[in-house]
Each structure stands twice: as C-alpha cells, then as structure tokens.
Amino acid sequence: MIASTEDAPGPSSSRSGRRYVSLRRPLLWQLGACVVPAMGLVAVGAPQMGAYLLFGALGIALVANHALGRQLSALALTVAALPAIMLLRDLVLYNSVVILLAGNIVLLLARSPAHAAIFRRSGLPWICYGAALYWLLSFGATGDYYANLRLLELVGSAATVVLLSRHRVYLATALYGLLGSLAVIGAALLPTGDRLGYARIGGVLLGNPIAFGLPLALLLVLAMADDGRWLLLQRNATLRLLVVSFVGVMLLLSTSRGSWLVAAAGVFAIVVLNRSSRRVALAGLVAMTIGGALAMQTSRGQDVSMWLDRTFSDDRSLGNRTSGRSDQWLLFPAVMASAPPWGYGPGTGKLVYARFSALDPRIHLKPGMAFDWHSLYLQIGVETGLVGITVLLVGFAALGWRGWRHWAATGDVTPIVGTLGFFLIGLTVSGMDAASGLYLGFAMLAGRAWTARARRRGARRRRPLPRGVEPEGALPARGAAP
C-alpha cells in the first residue's frame, strides 16, 4: 500500500453532494517561495544569486516533503519547478535536472510498492535501462560526461507524468505550477532580449526559446483537449478560455517556431478528433488571436514581427528560415551513405558533423566545427545508423497505434497529441530534455490495460488498485467532478 496520507481526497464542498477536489495549494505556495524570489534576483541582474536561492530553497522543500512522507508532493514540486531549474542549472550544476528527477522517482518507488508496480507495468524500466546504456556508451566513446546526458532527463520527465497521472490532482497541481513558473520567468526576462525566455543578464546567457515554448505549447493543448480535464477545467469553460488566451500570448512572445509548430499540430488534432472540445478549441483560437493582436501593439510586437518575417517572408532563404538547420538535413544523406548499418557510435554525432561539414561547400552552419545535430532523427541516424533509426520509428509507430486505439475506445485524444508533439519536436531539436519528456509521458498514457477495460465498459477490475491510484490513462468522466 502507499504509505502516505497524500492519497486522501482533497478539500471538497458541494451543494448537490458531489465531491470537488481542489489543487494542492501548499505545493503552489512552496513553488512560489522557491521560484519568485530567485527570478526576482535574476530580474535585477543577479542570476548567480538567484540560482543559489532557487536550488537552496527547492532542496529544503524537497527534503521536508520526503521527511513527512509526501513523496508525491516532492515529485509534483519538481515538475512544477522544471522551467526555472532548466533556466539556471548552468550556474549551479548542469545535471541537477537528472539528479532531482531520478532522486524523487526512486524515493517514491522505494516507499510505495503500488507505484513500483505501476512503474514496472508501464514499460518504463526498459526505457530507463536503454537510456542509461546509451549514455554510458556515449561517455565511453567520447570521454565526455555530458554526451547524451540529457537523454536521462527525457526519460525521467516522462516517468513523472506516468506516475503522477494516477493522481490527477497532483498532476494538475504540477501543471499549474509549471504555468506559474513560466509566467514568473517571462516576467523576469521580459525587459531584456528579443525572445521571451531567452536573455543575457549580467554577462550570463540564460534560457532557450524552445525550452520556454514547448511547455507552453503542451499546456495550451492540454487546456483544449479532452474538455481540459488534465487541468481540472472540465466544468469551467470561461477559465479554460482565459488559460488558453494567456498561454497563447506567452507562446507567441517566445518566438519559438518549433513550439508554434507543435501547438498548431496539437490544436488541429483536437479539432479533428475531439468533438467534445471542438467548440472551446475554436473559441480559444479566437481569444488567442485577439490576445496576440493586442500583444503585437506592445514593444514586443516588433520582435515577434521580425521572427514571423524571418519564417514566412518570400525573401528569406531556407537556411535563414530554419536558422541553418536545413544545412544539416542537406548533409545527412552523405553522412548516412558512408555510415555502417549501426552508425558511428553513441555520442559521436558532434565529431561526425565536424568531419563531413568541412568537406561540403554547401554547408554554412559552423562548417568543420563539432556541433550538435538539431534533430532527434538526424542524431539517432548518425550515431546508430539504420538500426537505430528503425527502432526509433517503430517506437513512434507503437505509441501512435496505442494512442489511436485508446482514442477509439475512450474518445480521449491526449495520448495522440502527446505522441504527435514529441514526433514534431524531433524534427527541429534533439528532443533529449525534460520539456520534451513531458510530451512522451502523456503519449505513454495510452495503456493497453486501460484500453481493454474501456472496451469492457462496466466490467469490474479483477485486482482493484490501491486507494488513490487511478487506472492507467484514466481521466475523470465527462461532466463529472474530478
């Protein structure tokens, strides 16, 4: 059983006798105490002090939660603080994301046999073993400790979504905390730089537009998909529209074109496949348009216009539209033509790029320099050859098939949106980070066991899950209280 009082229902009230579960507000207060002061120091030009404050306060909060037996709270707090951790980790400890995610997951599994069983059934152990092996091989081949280290972030982030999804109040709290962290970061960095979520402060380069934009794109589609039930918004259409509008404006100001693509594809999938959410999705698009038009009238409007022009103007070359990424796709066939079926080896992608780009006069993106491949498919293809790219594509096909069956059985589109989002992320970046892992986690919620139960509507489970642990991929019923 789960040795924690956290699984008990939250505060509730109802005139009709129905139970209404609120967010875990103490978690949000803890998050605010960690993130707001830290980002305040960043805003006034002291990012190093802000980083120390963030990690110090977060460490105290996590230790306190674990000491009180609140492992779920610690895990949700880590997810909520991810944007701030990723923003400032270079100033303290780069692999802090891996340490925090792995540490909280291990402590939860050690204290809770029920969650350990969920973890095993999800297939995550094999993914963790594969990721760890790939990182070790990369380290062994290059001698670089950081080579493909972020693959462990990807898996850890996905695992947190899978584990928290069985306690939707904690996952919803983590998602609202994620939104709050992004809003505070945006406010702190708003006066500097031309892209929200990316700035140079005190001589220190902070952030990355796509690391800021991808969580926003996920929150946008979660507010629209499946009646907004992952955010506990299924009974409040007005609040859903406000969340969609706010997130949409921040996403626009991020000028992250990869995040725009992911969001657009997710919204399209919702409109096509999710009939119950279609009206709110369309209304959300109208609200986003109005909010975006107002944002364009501000001082940030010129920056957004510049990046829109850079993307869609007829006067721009393909290399300029893609910030040089098209050069890598141009080079990829020549690299693969010389590669063995198993590729050049994990972790060698940078060196292979330096070698081949120096020989091709068409390449203008850092020719002859060790440089990351800005695509998951390019990197896996170069490092593991035809074997690796086949395994990757088969994995995406399996996720897509499970998501489709889940949608056919339940009408829930979130796993499809998660798979589609992660697939598109891989076109423009390596996808090996905690932000991308959130998409993978939602994609993995299309469990076979849940799909089978949904097809046997009304059938009783042979082995009831422990109190507070929900069935794999389960969402609250439409129109019901969470």
Side-chain angles (χ1 to χ4, degrees):
M1 294 183 64
I2 300 177
S4 172
T5 60
E6 291 185 300
D7 296 320
S12 63
S13 62
S14 173
R15 296 178 181 177
S16 61
R18 289 183 178 179
R19 184 178 293 276
Y20 295 88
V21 183
S22 65
L23 296 175
R24 300 294 180 179
R25 292 174 184 167
L27 275 179
L28 298 178
W29 285 111
Q30 292 173 43
L31 177 70
C34 296
V35 174
V36 174
M39 295 312 301
L41 288 173
V42 172
V44 298
Q48 188 70 63
M49 293 299 299
Y52 289 147
L53 179 58
L54 170 69
F55 284 93
L58 184 61
I60 293 171
L62 292 176
V63 169
N65 278 297
H66 282 295
L68 295 172
R70 298 172 180 171
Q71 280 72 40
L72 285 173
S73 294
L75 192 60
L77 179 60
T78 303
V79 174
L82 273 178
I85 297 170
M86 294 173 67
L87 181 75
L88 299 176
R89 63 177 173 180
D90 282 344
L91 302 179
V92 177
L93 183 64
Y94 181 81
N95 59 357
S96 56
V97 178
V98 175
I99 293 173
L100 290 172
L101 290 174
N104 284 291
I105 290 171
V106 168
L107 289 172
L108 173 63
L109 299 183
R111 292 288 298 271
S112 169
H115 285 96
I118 290 170
F119 187 79
R120 289 193 300 269
R121 289 201 305 268
S122 68
L124 278 166
W126 294 106
I127 298 177
C128 291
Y129 298 149
L133 177 62
Y134 198 87
W135 169 67
L136 287 172
L137 290 174
S138 301
F139 181 30
T142 64
D144 182 5
Y145 172 80
Y146 298 103
N148 288 322
L149 177 66
R150 294 194 306 167
L151 183 59
L152 303 181
E153 295 179 26
L154 170 72
V155 177
S157 180
T160 61
V161 173
V162 172
L163 292 170
L164 289 175
S165 68
R166 276 57 174 184
H167 308 267
R168 62 180 180 272
V169 174
Y170 282 93
L171 180 55
T173 303
L175 292 172
Y176 279 108
L178 193 73
L179 175 57
S181 294
L182 291 165
V184 173
I185 291 171
L189 302 185
L190 186 63
T192 58
D194 61 346
R195 310 181 73 180
L196 196 60
Y198 175 77
R200 184 180 293 275
I201 298 177
V204 178
L205 193 63
L206 296 174
N208 188 321
I210 198 162
F212 184 79
L214 285 179
L216 289 171
L218 177 65
L219 291 168
L220 179 68
V221 297
L222 288 178
M224 292 185 178
D226 300 323
D227 299 325
R229 283 174 285 154
W230 286 114
L231 292 168
L232 306 183
L233 292 173
Q234 66 271 28
R235 301 178 64 86
N236 196 329
T238 302
L239 183 57
R240 284 177 70 190
L241 287 178
L242 289 176
V243 171
V244 167
S245 302
F246 179 65
V247 173
V249 170
M250 282 206 296
L251 181 60
L252 176 67
L253 295 180
S254 75
T255 67
S256 170
R257 293 167 292 176
S259 302
W260 293 349
L261 173 64
V262 171
V267 172
F268 179 77
I270 292 166
V271 171
V272 172
L273 300 176
N274 207 189
R275 182 179 301 176
S276 64
S277 298
R278 193 172 296 164
R279 182 178 299 176
V280 172
L282 293 174
L285 289 175
V286 174
M288 285 169 54
T289 302
I290 296 173
L294 294 175
M296 293 295 287
Q297 304 306 312
T298 67
S299 58
R300 281 277 173 176
Q302 289 186 342
D303 298 328
V304 176
S305 297
M306 180 187 70
W307 284 96
L308 287 171
D309 178 72
R310 185 171 179 175
T311 303
F312 300 108
S313 174
D314 294 334
D315 299 330
R316 301 283 182 173
S317 66
L318 182 61
N320 189 268
R321 292 171 191 265
T322 62
S323 300
R325 289 179 175 87
S326 59
D327 283 4
Q328 295 191 330
W329 286 94
L330 191 66
L331 184 64
F332 184 65
V335 176
M336 293 303 293
S338 303
W342 50 86
Y344 292 95
T348 61
K350 288 183 177 182
L351 301 177
V352 172
Y353 181 80
R355 171 186 163 191
F356 281 86
S357 62
L359 302 175
D360 194 329
R362 301 173 300 171
I363 305 304
H364 302 286
L365 178 65
K366 299 185 183 297
M369 296 178 61
F371 192 63
D372 287 317
W373 293 86
H374 279 263
S375 167
L376 176 65
Y377 311 105
L378 299 184
Q379 180 174 343
I380 294 299
V382 170
E383 295 187 358
T384 61
L386 184 61
V387 174
I389 200 70
T390 300
V391 171
L392 179 64
L393 293 178
V394 168
F396 272 117
L399 282 174
W401 175 243
R402 289 178 63 181
W404 185 264
R405 290 183 61 196
H406 185 91
W407 171 78
T410 67
D412 297 330
V413 74
T414 300
I416 291 180
V417 171
T419 302
L420 179 61
F422 188 53
F423 179 83
L424 293 174
I425 289 170
L427 292 175
T428 57
V429 292
S430 70
M432 295 183 184
D433 59 16
S436 304
L438 298 176
Y439 287 83
L440 179 59
F442 278 101
M444 294 181 67
L445 297 186
R448 289 173 293 180
W450 166 244
T451 302
R453 281 194 295 272
R455 289 181 173 178
R456 299 191 303 269
R457 295 182 186 278
R460 300 177 63 182
R461 294 191 297 272
R462 294 180 182 178
R463 295 182 180 179
L465 293 173
R467 182 172 179 264
V469 179
E470 299 171 13
E472 186 176 358
L475 279 172
R478 287 186 172 87

